[in-house]
Amino acid sequence: MPAALRQITPDDLMPDAEFAQVRKERRTALMPIKRLRRIHLGPHCTFFFECYDTMLFQVQEMLLIEKGGAAQVPDELAAYNPLIPQGTELVATVMFEIEDPIRRAQTLARLGGVEDLMYLKVGDDKIFGVSEDDVERTREDGKTSSVHFLHFGLRPENVAVFRDPATTVIVGCDHEAYAHMAVLSPSTRAELARDFG
């Protein structure tokens, strides 16, 4: 299936009992991929770049845990299919992880609008993430959510530059209260380039 059309369908899903038998080995097989797709940005933020395989496992997990059967499938596909990259984009779940609830609340209260200031710098182009349209992630009082879902749409020329090992690719944030950058390693770039098909 072309990368631009990649979606999970009911035909891709295993019955819960069958998935339960292979769950551990599937999780183990995904670990190296997920490790390459996890980028730490500053002290509290982590980007998890999603793909078909990570989303398929997540759907199977939700079905197994919640035991909703066939009736649950459409909701899970509606939730997770939009996070599968479609040809010339990268899609990330972005999480602010702070264990202490008081510090977490204080930090998130200072980060209103942060979801609009996350970017991918590919060569000279800065590509800002576009939030998934499910819900507003920053409240009226300025407090942002601890989880964001961002799409980074690349033009074909950006994809070519992304694939060029001589180019530096950076994930970053321009928010005044969380200005950080992280350079993608060659192995992470090679893994993410698979999303372009």
Side-chain angles (χ1 to χ4, degrees):
M1 181 179 293
L5 301 174
R6 196 62 165 139
Q7 296 284 287
I8 301 166
T9 71
D11 291 341
D12 298 321
L13 301 172
M14 297 176 157
D16 287 350
E18 189 178 329
F19 177 67
Q21 292 177 351
V22 297
R23 182 185 191 193
K24 186 176 178 181
E25 73 181 60
R26 289 274 174 104
R27 181 185 289 119
T28 300
L30 263 183
M31 285 175 74
I33 294 167
K34 290 180 90 167
R35 197 173 300 118
L36 289 172
R37 291 176 164 272
R38 183 174 53 238
I39 310 300
H40 297 286
L41 182 67
H44 306 303
C45 181
T46 307
F47 278 64
F48 298 91
F49 284 98
E50 307 294 3
C51 65
Y52 175 86
D53 294 324
T54 62
M55 290 297 90
L56 178 61
F57 186 83
Q58 186 64 30
V59 169
Q60 292 277 189
E61 280 279 286
M62 296 304 291
L63 294 171
L64 182 66
I65 292 165
E66 295 183 3
K67 306 205 180 310
Q72 184 184 345
V73 170
D75 288 343
E76 298 303 335
L77 297 185
Y80 293 107
N81 267 331
L83 301 181
I84 298 173
Q86 297 296 302
T88 58
E89 70 173 349
L90 296 174
V91 183
T93 300
V94 179
M95 300 180 70
F96 286 91
E97 300 170 297
I98 304 165
E99 283 189 29
D100 180 80
I102 295 171
R103 280 189 55 235
R104 180 171 57 247
Q106 291 170 341
T107 300
L108 295 177
R110 293 193 309 269
L111 292 177
V114 71
E115 64 274 17
D116 299 323
L117 298 169
M118 302 281 191
Y119 64 85
L120 201 63
K121 190 165 187 295
V122 181
D124 295 328
D125 289 343
K126 194 183 261 191
I127 301 151
F128 284 89
V130 176
S131 293
E132 185 64 30
D133 291 333
D134 57 352
V135 292
E136 182 60 45
R137 295 287 169 176
T138 293
R139 299 186 327 202
E140 287 182 18
D141 65 4
K143 183 180 180 186
T144 195
S145 172
S146 60
V147 181
H148 301 273
F149 304 101
L150 299 177
H151 294 254
F152 297 89
L154 282 70
R155 298 187 311 273
E157 56 267 31
N158 298 136
V159 172
V161 172
F162 189 99
R163 292 181 191 274
D164 179 356
T167 304
T168 300
V169 177
I170 294 168
V171 165
C173 178
D174 277 346
H175 196 287
E176 63 182 5
Y178 203 84
H180 294 282
M181 296 186 304
V183 176
L184 301 190
S185 71
S187 52
T188 288
R189 287 173 59 182
E191 171 60 29
L192 296 183
R194 295 173 55 228
D195 295 348
F196 301 135

